[in-house]
Structure formats: structure tokens, C-alpha cells
């Protein structure tokens, strides 16, 4: 039984007459202790997918499909249950900790607040917990740092504090939305290593959003590539890297190869721009940019085609690895 | 924080001095001789010169300023030309009355203003927001002396519930905190509260909308806080700015209420200023403006220190 199971998730923004479909039928599953990297260009719907798992969208957003997390039906939860679920079963690390922490509260108090909220402890016990967590994420002179306001910390330290906050109530699932993008290169690596270490120690299930294939390979067991609100290729890390099947994934990997030493290089080397989500073509959304497009691509959305045991791609040109090897 | 406060006070001193120069010059720049109004029309040139010397108007301006400042520093604002009473006594009584009126008005304005502002900011573009915005636009654009007269017509002339003018039943110029005097405060206070209400509600609406759009609000929800818990964070974030606006409004009302005080014959600074201007009572005018200006400087200082104390993002060094 996977701890996260998302089926045919759709998220629409904007007016009903002209909706922007940011997520267009995403299926995801995640086992306990597993890490999935969600990869894709800007605007492909990665953050929206993550936020859906916590129902963090504005009221005007319309969410469809189903999401099971730790045997709870996320979309059916009444508000009180939802608030208890957020932070204690699933928690989130945001891209920019400088924006995600309340600027006028002490960081230690912000952590204590979550502990008090979920575990019903006293505020003092909450602070004690915050201190433990600060030690755990290796913030130097933790006692003093608890009393800092976010602006008094460096970016890397803030992200460590954010991680401490996310782990404060022993969640089972951690959603990390580009947790290292806003940091300096050297700090990025430290935070990444810390996250990987904590993930292993605590047996967390992690969905890790990133632009950076190098990072994805570093942390993830599996990779899912998103394009225009759909997962267009998914599989075990090694399989996707070694044998990418979707032309978009191939393009990503090629662009990565060109800049392989530029950490954090954005994935923009594929010609063309991502489609407008309000006016998607009927067929494969990547067709207008695809170098090997066929007429059939423009007719209907290709279904997932299995390439090897856990590896699939939504491309009508995809063939099973075995078959491919036979033709070579 | 104490060091910071002392520093601010130090910075404010030259400002206060500058203000005193301006106040002094303001009255001298104004056209017309301040003594004409109290001199007999047929006064000879000699008599005029004598009078001028008696009031010190024959000395160079700088010397006049020096003498005036020296006296001011010794709590001597001179005597009123019209009544002969010490200016300080008149001004301090008027300031006391105005302070009561301005504080109560600001309090009313702040209470309703923050309430409307929060509602509008939380429910942006909803009918509630539209109503609150409409109220605040009306608040800042309705001429308040007109509103004052309308209120007097309805509640005094028609219904006879509240007294139309004055600060108390005995006609004395002193407001005291008792139920009888309180009735005199109601109409002018409501009239004057309308402007700060409008301004504060608009400020708070923008503030709340801005705070709610920030990512940390989502992060607070993501850690499982209830909407009430999130609301507390919104309030803490909005407080420094909202209080600063309130402090400045109090300052404006303290000096800027000539019209309302005149409509209600409220014996405050506005009323006094009005009288001093029409009677060309130079020492009284100078004294009133100076005291009001100093209040404003002081309020600014207070707001500054308060905002720094409340908002950790402002550097205290
Ligand atoms: N609250 C919202 N209201 C309207 N549109 C939204 C909202 N949130 C996201 N979108 C739209 O959904 C689409 C997907 O956005 P999303 O943030 O998921 O992209 P992303 O893959 O995370 O990109 P990035 O790498 O830049 O973070 C974008 O076109 C965005 O404009
Ligand atoms: Mg994103």
C-alpha cells in the first residue's frame, strides 16, 4: 500500500469559461521511505501538484481526481481534519525560506507554534523541541539562533530552520519544492546532503521538485518528468537517465549534458516555449516543439506506454526497451 | 532600545529648533502689522513707535527670535494681545480639550477603520469589500464640517438627544471626564472620526491584502494552523504600520480640526487658532502653532520608537 497515491489529479485556475489547466491528469504513487523527483520546466505544474496534496490552493481553484495520503482521502477531508493533517502527516519545504517564514516572529517560536498545535504540548516544551530540531539540522549555536528573526539568518541557515519546522511534528511525507534553488552553490550541496541524510534516518517519503537533473539523480529513487500539467515520463532514476524515451526527456538530458558542470542550470535548451495552458492543443502538448513529431501526435493525447518494468512514457513513438534493443 | 530612543530624541532636537524658527517667522511674514488691531485708529506715529518698542517689534528679527525662544524655553509664551491673559494657560487648556477630542476620534476611527480594513482585505472584491471601500471613500471625501452640521440637525435640533455645541453644561472651556461632559463629546468626536476611519481602513485593507498574498501565509497553513491562528500572524504583521498611521492621524486631528471645532464651538486648539487669526493676536497664534508643531514632532518620535519596538525588521542601531 503506497503512502501517497494520486489518481488523475486535475487543477484548474481562472474562470470556468476559460480555465487554465495547471495540472491535467497526474498519477503518482509513493511508497514509505521512497524519494520521487518531480522534474520539469517552469510552469509545468510541479508546485501546483505539490500544493494540491495539502489543499493549499485558493478557493477559486478547482481540483479533480483523487488523492490518498496515509489512508486518508485528501479531497474529502473536512476542514478540521485537514488542519490536523497539514504539518503532522505531510509537511512542506518551500523554495525560498526568506519568504516562507513569518518575518516578525522568532524562528524558534514559529517551530514551537507548530508543536503546540499538533501535539498539544506547552509552549515551553515546544521551544525545547525546537532546540532539539535545530541541533538535528546542525544549526550552529542553536540556543541563540532560536531567538533570531528570519532576516537575522543566512539563506542556508534559514533553509535548515525551515527543514526543522517541516520535521517538527514527525511527518510521514515531506514535500520539498525546489528547496535548494534559492541558495548558493556550496550551501545547496550541504542542504541537499542534510535532506538526504534526514530522509534516510527518518524513513520519510519525499517528493522533491527540482529543475536540476543532477540534483534529481543525487536524491531520488524515481524520476517523474512533467510537461504542461502531465507526467510524460516516469521510471527508476537509472532507467530514465540511461534510456530516456520521451523526446522531451531526451532534450532535457541533452541540455544537461551541454552544461553538465553548471550547477543549477535552468532547463531551457529545448527550442520553443512551453504551451499556454489555457489553449492546449488536442494531442500531445509537446508536439509543437518536438523534432520527431508525427501526424498522429496531434490527434489525441498518447497514453502511457510501458518501456520496462516500472518505466513508462507518454509518447506514441515509445517502444519497450527489449524491442528497441532488437531493432538496433 | 533605550539607546535607540535617546538617539531619536537627539535627532529630533534640531527638527524642533527648525520648527520654532519657522513658527516665529511665519507670523512675521504674514502681511499686516500685528499691532494695528489693538491700536486706536487715530494713533500718532510716536504712539505707534512706542507701542512697537513696548512689544519689542523694533529690534532686529534675530534678536526678537532669541528673546522669544529664551522665554519659550522658560515656559513663557507671552500674553495674549487681545485678552492680556498668559498664552500658555490658554493654549494648554485648549490642547487638553483638543487632545481629548482627537484621541477619542482617533480611537473610534481606528476601531472601525481596522475592522472595515480587515474585512475588506480578507474578502477582497466581495460585496463586503465593496461596502467597506465605499464607506471609507465617503469617510475621506465628505466635508466633515458639513457632516457635523447634519449630525447637529438630526441629533440636537430634531431629536434633542445631544447638546449641539460647547464642551460642557456650564459653558466653561474645560472638558471633564464625567457623564454630563461626555454627552458633549459624542457629536464632535463622531464627526472627526470619519476621516481617520477612512484613511485607516484603506491602509489596513492594502496592508492585509499584501500580507495575505505573501508566501509565508501559505506556509502557516501548511504547518496546520487554523484560520484563526493565521489571523493572529496577519495582525502581528499589520500592527506596526497600522499603529504608525494611527499616530499620525492623531497628530493631524490635534491641529487640523479648526472647522469641526468651530462648528461645535469646542474650546480646543482649532477654535483658539481661529480666534487668534481673526483677532490678529500674534503671541497667541505663535504659541498655539508652536505647541501644536511640538506635539506633532513628539508624536512622530513616539510613532517611530513604537514602530521600531514592534517590528523586528527595522534595524535598531
Ligand atoms: N494560484 C494560482 N492562480 C492562477 N494560476 C496559477 C496559480 N498557481 C499556479 N498557477 C499557474 O499554474 C501553472 C503551473 O504553475 P506551477 O507553479 O505549478 O509551475 P512550476 O512547475 O512549479 O514552475 P516553477 O519551476 O517556475 O516553480 C502556471 O502557469 C501558473 O501560472
Ligand atoms: Mg514551482
Amino acid at each position: 500500500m503506497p503512502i501517497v497515491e494520486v489518481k488523475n489529479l486535475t487543477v484548474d485556475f481562472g474562470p470556468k469559461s476559460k480555465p487554465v489547466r495547471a495540472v491535467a491528469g497526474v498519477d503518482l504513487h509513493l511508497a514509505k521511505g521512497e524519494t520521487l523527483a518531480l522534474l520539469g520546466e517552469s510552469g509545468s505544474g510541479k508546485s501546483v501538484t505539490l500544493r494540491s496534496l495539502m489543499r493549499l490552493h485558493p478557493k477559486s481553484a478547482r481540483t479533480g481526481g483523487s488523492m490518498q495520503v496515509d489512508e486518508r482521502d485528501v479531497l474529502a477531508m473536512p476542514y478540521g481534519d485537514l488542519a490536523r493533517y497539514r504539518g503532522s502527516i505531510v509537511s512542506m519545504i518551500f523554495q525560498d525560506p526568506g519568504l516562507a517564514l513569518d518575518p516578525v516572529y522568532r524562528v524558534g517560536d514559529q517551530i514551537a507554534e507548530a508543536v503546540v498545535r499538533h501535539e498539544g504540548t506547552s509552549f515551553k516544551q515546544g521551544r525545547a523541541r525546537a532546540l532539539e530540531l535545530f541541533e538535528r539540522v546542525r544549526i550552529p549555536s542553536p540556543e541563540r539562533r532560536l531567538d533570531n528573526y528570519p532576516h537575522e539568518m543566512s539563506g542556508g541557515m534559514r533553509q535548515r530552520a525551515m527543514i526543522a519546522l517541516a520535521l517538527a511534528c514527525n511527518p510521514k511525507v515531506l514535500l520539498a519544492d525546489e528547496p535548494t534553488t534559492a541558495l548558493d552553490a556550496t550551501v545547496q550541496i550541504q542542504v541537499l546532503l542534510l535532506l538526504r541524510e534526514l530522509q534516510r534516518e527518518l524513513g520519510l517519503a519525499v517528493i522533491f521538485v527540482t529543475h536540476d537533473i543532477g540534483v534529481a539523480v543525487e536524491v531520488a529513487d524515481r524520476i517523474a518528468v512533467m510537461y504542461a500539467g502531465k507526467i510524460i515520463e516516469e521510471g527508476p532514476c537509472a532507467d530514465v537517465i540511461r534510456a530516456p524515451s520521451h523526446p522531451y526527456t531526451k532534450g532535457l538530458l541533452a541540455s544537461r549534458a551541454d552544461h553538465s558542470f553548471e550547477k543549477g542550470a535552468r532547463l531551457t535548451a529545448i527550442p520553443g516555449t512551453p504551451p499556454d495552458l489555457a489553449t492546449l492543443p488536442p494531442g500531445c502538448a509537446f508536439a509543437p516543439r518536438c523534432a520527431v513529431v508525427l501526424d498522429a501526435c496531434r490527434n489525441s493525447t498518447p497514453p502511457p506506454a510501458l518501456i520496462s518494468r516500472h518505466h513508462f512514457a507518454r509518447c506514441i513513438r515509445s517502444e519497450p526497451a527489449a524491442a528497441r534493443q532488437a531493432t538496433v | 532600545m533605550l539607546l535607540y530612543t535617546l538617539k531619536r530624541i537627539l535627532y529630533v532636537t534640531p527638527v524642533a529648533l527648525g520648527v520654532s524658527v519657522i513658527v516665529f517667522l511665519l507670523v512675521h511674514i504674514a502681511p499686516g502689522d500685528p499691532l494695528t488691531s489693538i491700536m486706536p485708529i487715530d494713533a500718532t506715529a510716536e504712539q505707534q513707535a512706542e507701542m512697537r518698542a513696548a512689544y519689542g517689534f523694533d529690534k532686529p528679527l534675530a534678536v526678537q527670535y532669541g528673546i522669544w525662544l529664551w522665554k519659550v524655553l522658560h515656559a513663557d509664551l507671552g500674553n495674549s494681545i487681545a485678552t492680556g491673559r498668559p498664552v500658555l494657560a490658554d493654549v494648554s487648556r485648549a490642547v487638553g480639550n483638543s487632545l481629548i477630542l482627537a484621541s477619542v476620534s482617533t480611537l473610534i476611527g481606528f476601531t472601525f477603520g481596522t475592522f472595515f480594513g480587515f474585512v475588506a482585505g480578507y474578502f477582497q472584491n466581495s460585496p463586503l469589500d465593496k461596502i467597506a471601500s465605499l464607506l471609507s471613500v465617503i469617510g475621506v471625501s465628505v466635508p466633515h464640517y458639513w457632516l457635523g452640521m447634519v449630525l447637529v440637525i438630526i441629533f440636537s435640533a430634531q431629536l434633542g438627544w445631544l447638546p449641539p455645541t460647547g464642551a460642557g453644561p456650564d459653558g466653561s472651556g474645560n472638558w471633564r471626564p464625567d457623564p454630563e461632559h461626555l454627552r458633549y463629546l459624542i457629536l464632535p468626536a463622531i464627526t472627526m472620526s470619519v476621516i481617520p476611519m477612512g484613511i485607516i481602513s484603506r491602509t489596513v485593507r492594502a496592508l492585509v491584502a499584501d500580507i495575505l498574498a505573501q508566501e509565508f501565509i501559505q506556509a502557516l497553513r501548511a504547518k496546520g494552523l487554523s484560520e484563526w491562528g493565521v489571523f493572529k500572524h496577519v495582525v502581528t504583521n499589520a500592527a506596526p504600520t497600522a499603529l504608525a498611521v494611527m499616530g499620525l492621524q492623531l497628530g493631524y486631528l490635534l491641529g487640523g480640526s479648526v472647522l469641526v471645532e468651530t462648528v461645535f464651538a469646542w474650546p480646543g486648539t482649532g477654535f483658539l487658532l481661529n480666534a487668534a487669526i481673526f483677532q490678529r493676536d500674534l503671541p497667541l497664534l505663535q504659541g498655539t502653532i508652536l505647541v501644536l508643531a511640538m506635539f506633532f514632532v513628539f508624536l512622530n518620535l513616539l510613532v517611530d520608537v513604537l514602530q521600531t519596538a514592534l517590528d523586528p525588521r527595522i534595524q535598531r542601531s
Side-chain angles (χ1 to χ4, degrees):
Chain A
M1 181 79 195
I3 191 158
V4 176
E5 183 149 41
V6 175
K7 286 201 178 120
N8 195 24
L9 176 71
T10 58
V11 181
D12 289 343
F13 293 108
K16 277 211 176 66
S17 52
K18 198 173 180 295
V20 173
R21 178 148 282 203
V23 175
V26 158
D27 297 299
L28 271 183
H29 61 95
L30 195 64
K32 276 200 178 93
E34 195 183 22
T35 301
L36 172 73
L38 209 50
L39 203 67
E41 275 171 312
S42 198
S44 55
K46 308 181 297 290
S47 299
V48 174
T49 304
L50 277 203
R51 278 192 224 119
S52 300
L53 282 164
M54 295 185 99
R55 271 172 60 190
L56 283 174
H57 296 307
K59 285 197 193 73
S60 58
R62 296 173 296 283
T63 309
S66 79
M67 290 182 284
Q68 293 281 132
V69 176
D70 196 33
E71 289 163 29
R72 288 166 177 79
D73 183 346
V74 176
L75 289 177
M77 252 188 262
Y79 186 79
D81 290 356
L82 180 65
R84 274 188 291 279
Y85 154 88
R86 289 169 173 171
S88 71
I89 307 291
V90 180
S91 64
M92 185 129 142
I93 302 174
F94 291 79
Q95 174 170 348
D96 189 343
L99 301 174
L101 292 165
D102 186 332
V104 305
Y105 276 65
R106 293 176 202 282
V107 177
D109 293 355
Q110 300 193 39
I111 296 175
E113 190 180 28
V115 177
V116 171
R117 165 87 185 146
H118 287 297
E119 293 172 12
T121 62
S122 71
F123 192 75
K124 213 171 146 216
Q125 287 166 305
R127 285 278 296 206
R129 186 77 218 280
L131 179 61
E132 277 170 38
L133 287 158
F134 263 35
E135 281 161 358
R136 179 110 209 211
V137 298
R138 292 196 291 279
I139 289 179
S141 42
E143 264 130 299
R144 195 166 57 80
R145 289 296 179 180
L146 281 180
D147 281 330
N148 273 178
Y149 291 96
H151 73 272
E152 293 168 332
M153 292 180 157
S154 68
M157 205 181 293
R158 272 201 292 259
Q159 195 56 296
R160 284 170 194 267
M162 187 82 223
I163 293 171
L165 172 61
L167 299 179
C169 301
N170 305 308
K172 298 179 178 171
V173 180
L174 185 64
L175 308 175
D177 194 351
E178 305 192 41
T180 59
T181 309
L183 306 175
D184 292 342
T186 48
V187 183
Q188 271 189 12
I189 296 165
Q190 292 169 4
V191 170
L192 218 56
L193 292 177
L194 174 71
L195 270 174
R196 198 170 65 178
E197 175 194 319
L198 289 168
Q199 183 270 330
R200 286 189 185 149
E201 268 174 41
L202 304 172
L204 290 167
V206 178
I207 302 181
F208 196 106
V209 167
T210 177
H211 279 96
D212 190 325
I213 297 184
V215 169
V217 172
E218 201 68 43
V219 296
D221 304 311
R222 283 188 297 132
I223 290 182
V225 183
M226 271 191 98
Y227 187 80
K230 283 197 172 67
I231 292 181
I232 49 98
E233 178 155 6
E234 192 202 305
C237 221
D239 292 12
V240 174
I241 298 299
R242 212 179 319 113
S245 176
H246 197 287
Y248 177 66
T249 318
K250 286 179 186 164
L252 287 186
L253 284 167
S255 71
R256 167 74 192 174
D258 295 343
H259 314 272
S260 52
F261 295 106
E262 280 176 41
K263 260 271 172 199
R266 292 253 149 180
L267 305 173
T268 49
I270 302 169
T273 50
D276 177 5
L277 297 177
T279 54
L280 278 183
C284 172
F286 187 62
R289 290 169 80 185
C290 187
V292 292
V293 61
L294 304 171
D295 281 342
C297 294
R298 304 188 209 274
N299 296 335
S300 64
T301 312
L306 212 57
I307 293 149
S308 58
R309 214 161 97 75
H310 296 292
H311 182 186
F312 73 84
R314 280 178 182 271
C315 178
I316 51 175
R317 284 174 166 273
S318 298
E319 323 161 29
R324 196 162 25 172
Q325 255 144 29
T327 55
V328 168
Chain B
M1 197 64 218
L2 187 72
L3 194 74
Y4 173 80
T5 310
L6 289 175
K7 232 184 209 163
R8 294 305 314 180
I9 292 174
L10 209 67
Y11 288 154
V12 149
T13 315
V15 176
L17 265 179
V19 167
S20 79
V21 172
I22 292 170
V23 169
F24 178 80
L25 286 180
L26 206 66
V27 179
H28 280 265
I29 287 165
D33 191 320
L35 289 179
T36 28
S37 64
I38 57 160
M39 259 189 282
I41 303 169
D42 56 350
T44 63
E46 272 154 57
Q47 280 172 316
Q48 285 188 16
E50 220 171 275
M51 200 72 166
R52 219 165 262 131
Y55 277 91
F57 287 136
D58 56 340
K59 299 195 177 69
L61 264 187
V63 177
Q64 283 189 44
Y65 171 72
I67 295 172
W68 177 74
L69 187 66
W70 182 255
K71 284 188 178 163
V72 165
L73 289 176
H74 291 78
D76 178 6
L77 294 176
N79 292 335
S80 158
I81 293 179
T83 64
R85 281 201 302 264
V87 168
L88 188 66
D90 279 7
V91 172
S92 32
R93 203 181 51 206
V95 165
N97 289 333
S98 278
L99 203 56
I100 286 291
L101 183 56
S103 315
V104 173
S105 304
T106 312
L107 205 67
I108 297 173
F110 186 73
T111 311
F112 286 94
T114 39
F115 178 74
F116 289 146
F118 264 101
V119 170
Y122 251 92
F123 304 100
Q124 276 167 70
N125 302 323
S126 70
L128 273 176
D129 177 22
K130 301 264 159 63
I131 294 170
S133 300
L134 188 71
L135 280 177
S136 67
V137 169
I138 291 174
V140 287
S141 46
V142 158
H144 50 334
Y145 57 89
W146 176 82
L147 177 68
M149 290 191 271
V150 170
L151 289 180
V152 166
I153 290 171
I154 297 174
F155 293 98
S156 306
Q158 302 280 334
L159 297 170
W161 289 352
L162 294 164
T165 56
D170 47 2
S172 81
N174 256 333
W175 192 85
R176 283 189 300 277
D178 59 39
E180 192 47 43
H181 281 79
L182 205 60
R183 297 183 57 232
Y184 284 79
L185 185 59
I186 295 174
L187 286 185
I190 289 176
T191 307
M192 269 209 341
S193 71
V194 166
I195 287 183
M197 187 190 81
I199 290 175
I200 289 169
S201 97
R202 288 204 302 196
T203 311
V204 170
R205 180 193 187 272
L207 209 57
V208 168
D210 180 56
I211 292 168
L212 284 176
Q214 288 183 44
E215 192 163 86
F216 77 84
I217 294 293
Q218 235 182 56
L220 289 174
R221 294 202 177 107
K223 76 179 183 185
L225 291 197
S226 61
E227 275 312 303
W228 172 245
V230 175
F231 177 75
K232 284 191 275 186
H233 281 260
V234 176
V235 172
T236 321
N237 274 270
T241 312
L243 286 177
V245 174
M246 179 176 105
L248 293 179
Q249 285 304 308
L250 182 64
Y252 289 132
L253 290 195
L254 209 53
S257 51
V258 179
L259 290 174
V260 174
E261 291 193 354
T262 309
V263 166
F264 286 97
W266 185 263
T269 49
F271 200 57
L272 197 65
L273 270 180
N274 192 22
I277 290 167
F278 280 105
Q279 295 165 1
R280 297 203 142 275
D281 195 336
L282 191 94
L284 188 62
L285 192 58
Q286 255 177 351
T288 314
I289 296 179
L290 182 72
V291 170
L292 285 179
M294 287 306 150
F295 250 103
F296 206 78
V297 170
F298 171 75
L299 262 174
N300 267 304
L301 177 74
L302 202 69
V303 163
D304 198 17
V305 170
L306 200 71
Q307 201 172 16
T308 310
L310 285 178
D311 193 336
R313 284 166 298 186
I314 301 175
Q315 289 295 318
R316 281 165 203 171
S317 52

